[in-house]
Amino acid sequence: MPRIRPTRPQMEILGWLAIFLLLFCLSWRFQWHEELDEFIERHHRYPLDHALLALNISGFLGLIYSALRIRDLSREVARRLQAEKNVDWIACHDTLTELPNRRFLESVCARAMNERTAEETYAVFSIDLDGFKKVNDLLGHDHGDAVLKTVAQRLSSLFPRDYVFRLGGDEFVILARRVGNADLVALGNRIVSAIGKPFTFNGAAVDLGASVGFALYPENGDELGQVIRHSDCAMYVAKKQGRNLVKPFVPSMQDELAKRIRTEGDLRAAIRKAEIVPYYQPLVDLKANKIIGFEALARWKTASGELIPPSEFIPVAEEAGLIVELTDQLLRRACTDALSWPSELVLSFNLSPIQLSDRLLGLRILKILGDVGLPAHRVELEVTESAIIQDAVTARIVLDDLVNAGVRIALDDFGTGFSSLSQLSSYRFDKIKIDRSFVASFETNDKQDKVIKAIIALGAGLGVAITAEGIEEESQLQRLQDLGCDIGQGYLLGRPAPIEEIAADQAGGRILQRR
């Protein structure tokens, strides 16, 4: 046990008592009292007895005063010690949920290294909440704080004898001692179920999910800190694959995470150097057989000549918070390029689902159009159904602002999302794009053919143009023209090309020819 050091007031009291006992013993041993009486008697003409009495009284009063000061000092020292304890507690705990924080976790890891024993085995669970940002955006930070408190209580109840940490934001870590051969996947699913129970605050229902990854100590690492990083890696994989998933750590996940980190670093550098550029794929009027515009598609070619597909770097940009900067950069470049086209050609540009949760998106887009000088009616923004579903309130505000400014809106990947007819009735769309998955097989699949017929008929009834994506065969093109499809897009009609090739085609008079 650690030694308890006495406080300063206690030391002063002990010192005073020691001096008093020493003087008492000396006085008793050498009869100082009798000698003092004889001295006063010999000099009775001086008021030494009165001076001695006054000295005794003042000494007694000084003793009382000293005792009071020592008491006050003791209280002040106690308050300071308590304040230091409070500061230490605050430094090591999350003030909102009162759970231990990252600093406390680091101290636990350091202690585990210093006091390592072969018998200590842990399961480390890393947890990230799914849908928490939507709670903050739609209901406000007060509701978000209430959700975090409730999640902390549920996790603490589920692990009453183990450490539950909040590392910040909506990230939690659980350090659980392993007993026997517990089913850790089942335990992870219990975490998901506990967090997934409905939340209700002031009549507002909140639906949350959780992505959980776990790793084992010491099987997955010699150091506890390393195992925590591995559990976080497993959590990232679970989050990437879907909602409410539990994933155990496997070594191959490290390679995937390392690749993602490298890709993110390279992506930041590429955005800084403007190496990601728009390529343009023609949009062809199938009735008039002419190009009416181009869709801008992001292309990233590294310095080594490697072409990284958008399916790899766009998700990384979204997760790393780079999508806004990347989109603004690409849109500004595409708008600048579009100024060189004939005035009747439109620029089609895709928006990330994440961006429709940003209330400032419309203002940024209109500012870019104003800076470049491209009329709003020449811009068509493509959004997916899933993007609208994620944050319907903000999406409506953003899209309404853009439509009112003259920007066209196209519903992309129609039929592959949720509540398609509901979206058509709730928003003002200028175009519907049939997903390429329908076009690829509709010639040989009777049901797919009927779906495309229904979509084209729906567009005609609503007065909305229909675009078919992924046209790669002459027979597909002919069939879509026979069905009355308005616009086509695909490799048969034109592959994505850089602006230099588009400009060369215009100069050579080949812009209206099929490639």
Side-chain angles (χ1 to χ4, degrees):
M1 294 180 60
R3 297 177 59 186
I4 300 177
R5 297 181 61 184
T7 63
R8 179 179 173 182
Q10 292 173 336
M11 293 291 293
E12 292 178 353
I13 291 173
L14 291 176
W16 184 89
L17 288 175
I19 293 173
F20 174 80
L21 290 175
L22 176 62
L23 293 175
F24 176 80
C25 293
L26 291 174
S27 176
W28 189 11
R29 173 68 177 82
F30 296 106
Q31 299 297 317
W32 284 353
H33 184 270
E34 288 77 1
E35 293 181 6
L36 182 60
D37 288 342
E38 292 177 0
F39 179 80
I40 292 174
E41 183 64 29
R42 288 196 304 269
H43 302 83
H44 62 275
R45 60 183 179 278
Y46 301 108
L48 295 180
D49 53 344
H50 299 290
L52 186 60
L53 179 61
L55 182 62
N56 288 335
I57 294 175
S58 61
F60 182 72
L61 292 176
L63 179 62
I64 295 175
Y65 176 77
S66 298
L68 293 175
R69 291 296 298 164
I70 290 174
R71 184 196 64 180
D72 293 341
L73 183 59
S74 298
R75 291 178 177 176
E76 180 64 25
V77 169
R79 282 195 294 267
R80 289 187 179 183
L81 291 175
Q82 186 61 42
E84 290 176 1
K85 290 180 181 179
N86 292 339
V87 169
D88 289 340
W89 189 93
I90 292 172
C92 295
H93 289 76
D94 172 50
T95 54
L96 176 64
T97 62
E98 298 185 355
L99 293 178
N101 60 12
R102 188 181 299 275
R103 182 175 180 179
F104 196 112
L105 179 59
E106 291 173 353
S107 68
V108 171
C109 293
R111 190 164 63 248
M113 287 188 62
N114 295 331
E115 302 174 1
R116 184 179 303 175
T117 61
E119 294 79 15
E120 287 184 339
T121 58
Y122 297 98
V124 180
F125 293 89
S126 292
I127 305 164
D128 188 86
L129 303 184
D130 297 327
F132 179 71
K133 183 178 184 300
K134 185 176 180 181
V135 175
N136 272 339
D137 292 342
L138 296 182
L139 302 179
H141 289 280
D142 290 341
H143 283 82
D145 290 347
V147 167
L148 291 174
K149 288 181 180 179
T150 304
V151 169
Q153 292 168 1
R154 292 178 181 181
L155 293 178
S156 297
S157 299
L158 193 60
F159 296 89
R161 299 180 180 179
D162 298 307
Y163 282 124
V164 180
F165 303 86
R166 182 193 174 204
L167 302 188
D170 57 353
E171 297 180 39
F172 295 83
V173 165
I174 297 172
L175 187 59
R177 292 184 181 274
R178 291 156 56 194
V179 179
N181 296 319
D183 188 343
L184 298 179
V185 174
L187 185 55
N189 285 321
R190 288 175 61 192
I191 294 173
V192 172
S193 299
I195 294 175
K197 292 179 181 177
F199 296 82
T200 303
F201 301 101
N202 299 328
V206 175
D207 178 31
L208 275 187
S211 297
V212 179
F214 68 87
L216 307 180
Y217 175 81
E219 290 89 338
N220 295 137
D222 295 332
E223 298 179 4
L224 188 56
Q226 182 184 31
V227 175
I228 293 171
R229 290 191 294 273
H230 288 168
S231 71
D232 190 64
C233 180
M235 181 272 293
Y236 165 75
V237 173
K239 193 172 186 68
K240 185 178 180 181
Q241 293 184 1
R243 181 183 172 110
N244 293 335
L245 293 180
V246 178
K247 292 289 181 181
F249 171 78
V250 293
S252 60
M253 291 179 176
Q254 283 184 293
D255 298 333
E256 183 177 346
L257 183 60
K259 180 181 178 182
R260 177 188 177 277
I261 293 173
R262 287 195 303 270
T263 302
E264 181 179 329
D266 294 342
L267 180 60
R268 289 182 185 275
I271 293 175
R272 186 173 63 252
K273 299 175 183 177
E275 293 178 348
I276 302 176
V277 298
Y279 275 39
Y280 302 97
Q281 186 173 33
L283 300 170
V284 178
D285 186 332
L286 299 184
K287 297 175 180 178
N289 195 30
K290 68 176 184 178
I291 293 178
I292 60 173
F294 294 90
E295 179 180 354
L297 302 169
R299 292 294 183 266
W300 179 15
K301 192 172 185 179
T302 64
S304 63
E306 179 186 4
L307 191 63
I308 301 179
S311 58
E312 286 190 18
F313 69 81
I314 293 298
V316 174
E318 292 175 339
E319 293 164 8
L322 301 172
I323 192 64
V324 172
E325 184 180 358
L326 176 59
T327 299
D328 289 357
Q329 188 180 96
L330 288 172
L331 180 59
R332 186 176 294 274
R333 173 75 177 269
C335 289
T336 302
D337 291 342
L339 288 176
S340 64
W341 305 342
S343 60
E344 68 273 11
L345 297 184
V346 300
L347 168 66
S348 182
F349 192 89
N350 289 277
L351 292 179
S352 165
I354 291 178
Q355 292 181 282
L356 281 185
S357 297
D358 181 3
R359 292 177 182 265
L360 299 178
L361 174 64
L363 293 177
R364 286 204 311 275
I365 291 175
L366 295 177
K367 183 179 185 303
I368 290 173
L369 297 182
D371 293 343
V372 174
L374 185 68
H377 71 270
R378 291 190 58 192
V379 176
E380 180 180 272
L381 298 175
E382 297 186 13
V383 299
T384 61
E385 297 170 279
S386 58
I388 297 172
I389 289 294
Q390 284 184 15
D391 191 343
V393 175
T394 304
R396 176 176 293 280
I397 294 172
V398 171
L399 294 180
D400 285 348
D401 288 344
L402 291 169
V403 169
N404 292 334
V407 175
R408 305 181 191 184
I409 305 296
L411 182 60
D412 197 11
D413 299 338
F414 184 77
T416 62
F418 305 94
S419 306
S420 303
L421 296 179
S422 172
Q423 307 311 331
L424 289 178
S425 63
S426 301
Y427 297 88
R428 292 179 285 175
F429 294 110
D430 300 279
K431 183 187 294 183
I432 297 173
K433 300 191 73 173
I434 302 174
D435 187 69
R436 65 181 65 250
S437 61
F438 292 101
V439 176
S441 59
F442 82 107
E443 291 182 285
T444 57
N445 187 316
D446 186 57
K447 289 185 178 180
Q448 298 282 56
D449 185 66
K450 290 179 180 179
V451 168
I452 289 184
K453 285 181 181 178
I455 295 175
I456 293 174
L458 179 63
L462 294 175
V464 177
I466 301 296
T467 298
E469 296 181 297
I471 301 175
E472 299 182 359
E473 305 292 341
E474 285 283 355
S475 57
Q476 294 174 340
L477 175 62
Q478 186 62 50
R479 178 59 177 162
L480 289 166
Q481 288 176 325
D482 294 341
L483 292 175
C485 185
D486 301 295
I487 303 167
Q489 181 181 2
Y491 284 177
L492 179 68
L493 302 173
R495 291 178 175 270
I499 186 60
E500 293 80 12
E501 291 189 22
I502 299 295
D505 284 344
Q506 285 181 295
R510 297 188 299 274
I511 191 67
L512 300 181
Q513 297 179 8
R514 191 182 310 162
R515 301 174 182 224

